[in-house]
Amino acid sequence: MGRIQGFPAFTLVWAGQLISVLATQMSGFALSIWIFERTNSATALGLAQVFFITPFLIISPIAGAMVDRYDRKWMMALSDLSAGVATLALLGLQAFGSLEVWHLYAAALLQGLGNAFQWPAYSAAISLMVPKEQLGRANGMMSLIEAGPAVIAPFAAGALLPFIGLTGVLTADVVTFVLAVVSLVLVVIPPAPVSIAGAQARGSIWSEAAFGFRYIFARPGLLGLQLVFFIGNLLFGMIGTLAQPFILSRTGNDALALGTVMGIGAIGGVGGAVLMSAWGGFKRRVHGIFGGWIVAAIGMLIVGLSTGLPGWIIGSIIAFGVGPIMNASSQAIWQSKVEPDVQGRVFSARRLISWFASPISPIIAGLLADRALEPAMQPGGALVPIFGGLVGVGPGAGMAVLFVILAALTALVGIAGYSIPAVREVETRLPDALPTTPQQPQSAP
């Protein structure tokens, strides 16, 4: 079953995912409106995210081991089917007028479980489908799946809801899940060749789940690369937490100004993904990572030092636009250096390390802004003599100071990556785990 191979196979699967993710984000937008209309509660909205991410964090290492144990094609289909079943259940409840808020939490839990399989399965499958020299392009295309729907989905859902309602949006989502699974059925994903690392990793499901962490910690270059992203994500997450209150404080709660900056910044992310898809990135991929963090820091600095829309828009385009280049470059290194038969475990561990920053950033940023910097940057505040001439005084000035500090620290992350030989030279010090062109099977599995 399935005859399409190589980059054409990847492109077909990618197209199916792009359509499916767009429809999923449209239904997510529509369901967020539905929840808020019935509860008028931001907490109720936040709980949906909690129910999504908690099972993901708990099961992720085990999911990575299962991705390596079983056929990745069907692991990918399993993740799509779990999300499709959850959406189908919501559609049925909505059609019969029985949909309740807690049903959305149950669906989010099931979708979170499926997502724990999705990212490692797709990431590991790419290295088996795409030639090594095309990994940068392929991962740029995957970045477009993250960036593109985020821009289009709110507008599309907002335009369609008055005509087709929540039922219509959910129906479209279910249909696109079917298309995504069909695209998988039509392609060939070669089995991963057994490596020495793969043989060493065999054991109980718990031992295999822990193997990904052992693998990373045994390779200083990969560990350093991951720590660069952990620290960078921690700092960038703080920026993300502050972005909305910063702009609202500076503009007197102008929602239009906020929407303009966030929307155009997201378009910058799409532009970066399109560029990476066409270009493929630097020959030495570490330049896309460490140089990317430095460029992102420049974007943050422009935002922090600006007092109006032009500077905020330019800074946001720079910061968002370089993200896909950084992520695709990093992904290509990991796919090239990690043996394909252990990528599920290693990539799950990798993502779990990165996501540890997610719950930390908002707490740190909020406390620093509310308790320390904002009060210190009001008229007569302790920091006004130091920073007042740089960012001004009054609402938002304390957050602007934090933007400047975080930008400097983010630039240091990129500089540190260049300064540590094991990390800077990870592409040459670690042998490639992939041949120049992936082996193509003689017949479909």
Side-chain angles (χ1 to χ4, degrees):
M1 186 183 298
R3 288 291 180 270
I4 306 172
Q5 304 180 30
F7 206 95
F10 164 74
T11 303
L12 178 61
V13 173
W14 171 83
Q17 284 299 303
L18 181 64
I19 295 170
S20 178
V21 170
L22 173 60
T24 296
Q25 293 201 11
M26 287 173 58
S27 64
F29 181 85
L31 287 168
S32 296
I33 294 174
W34 185 90
I35 292 176
F36 197 75
E37 285 178 344
R38 280 152 183 78
T39 66
N40 199 33
S41 168
T43 301
L45 283 173
L47 280 173
Q49 185 64 19
V50 171
F51 277 97
F52 177 84
I53 197 171
T54 300
F56 169 86
L57 292 173
I58 293 172
I59 202 175
S60 189
I62 297 173
M66 293 180 66
V67 164
D68 286 336
R69 279 189 173 194
Y70 303 110
D71 189 319
R72 284 168 184 171
K73 178 179 187 174
W74 301 115
M75 288 292 99
M76 294 156 73
L78 176 65
S79 68
D80 287 330
L81 286 170
S82 66
V85 167
T87 305
L88 183 62
L90 294 179
L91 173 60
L93 290 166
Q94 168 66 11
F96 287 101
S98 303
L99 187 62
E100 302 287 346
V101 172
W102 73 266
H103 294 142
L104 275 67
Y105 299 155
L109 189 149
L110 183 58
Q111 290 164 345
L113 291 172
N115 189 261
F117 291 86
Q118 185 179 55
W119 188 79
Y122 275 87
S123 299
I126 289 172
S127 61
L128 298 170
M129 301 167 72
V130 176
K132 182 177 66 178
E133 58 272 17
Q134 296 291 332
L135 286 174
R137 285 187 59 212
N139 288 304
M141 292 168 67
M142 293 302 291
S143 295
L144 191 58
I145 290 181
E146 298 176 7
V151 175
I152 300 170
F155 296 104
L160 290 174
L161 273 172
F163 300 100
I164 64 175
L166 179 59
T167 301
V169 173
L170 292 174
T171 300
D173 196 7
V174 171
V175 171
T176 61
F177 279 123
V178 174
L179 293 176
V181 173
V182 169
S183 72
L184 285 169
V185 172
L186 295 175
V187 305
V188 173
I189 299 178
V194 178
S195 67
I196 295 174
Q200 293 173 342
R202 289 175 182 165
S204 69
I205 191 70
W206 303 108
S207 174
E208 292 187 15
F211 176 81
F213 296 97
R214 297 198 303 270
Y215 185 100
I216 294 172
F217 279 86
R219 291 158 177 80
L222 293 180
L223 177 59
L225 194 62
Q226 195 58 29
L227 290 177
V228 163
F229 268 88
F230 172 78
I231 298 171
N233 288 342
L234 176 66
L235 299 173
F236 214 79
M238 294 171 68
I239 290 286
T241 299
L242 296 173
Q244 295 187 24
F246 168 71
I247 293 173
L248 291 172
S249 297
R250 289 293 212 186
T251 60
N253 292 326
D254 188 337
L256 179 59
L258 174 62
T260 301
V261 175
M262 301 302 288
I264 296 178
I267 293 172
V270 173
V274 171
L275 173 63
M276 192 65 184
S277 301
W279 167 39
F282 294 99
K283 185 174 182 180
R284 284 199 65 203
R285 290 172 176 138
V286 291
H287 293 317
I289 300 170
F290 307 139
W293 281 115
I294 294 171
V295 172
I298 293 172
M300 295 180 194
L301 183 63
I302 292 172
V303 171
L305 295 178
S306 301
T307 56
L309 279 177
W312 298 335
I313 288 172
I314 292 170
S316 296
I317 290 173
I318 293 171
F320 279 102
V322 77
I325 297 173
M326 295 159 53
N327 292 331
S329 299
S330 175
Q331 185 78 325
I333 290 175
W334 285 84
Q335 288 166 331
S336 298
K337 301 299 178 182
V338 178
E339 293 84 350
D341 58 336
V342 298
Q343 284 186 6
R345 282 161 280 194
V346 173
F347 288 3
S348 288
R350 216 181 115 207
R351 197 177 204 195
L352 198 58
I353 292 170
S354 293
W355 278 36
F356 274 138
S358 299
I360 302 171
S361 296
I363 297 171
I364 298 175
L367 290 174
L368 285 174
D370 294 340
R371 302 289 180 86
L373 294 174
E374 276 294 300
M377 289 302 295
Q378 302 310 305
L383 295 179
V384 170
I386 302 173
F387 294 106
L390 191 65
V391 300
V393 179
M399 286 181 278
V401 170
L402 193 49
F403 264 75
V404 173
I405 294 171
L406 292 172
L409 293 174
T410 301
L412 287 176
V413 169
I415 294 170
Y418 275 124
S419 302
I420 302 171
V423 183
R424 181 183 67 243
E425 299 168 9
V426 64
E427 293 175 89
T428 54
R429 292 196 179 193
L430 278 180
D432 281 351
L434 293 177
T436 301
T437 302
Q439 180 180 359
Q440 299 295 339
Q442 296 301 312
S443 59

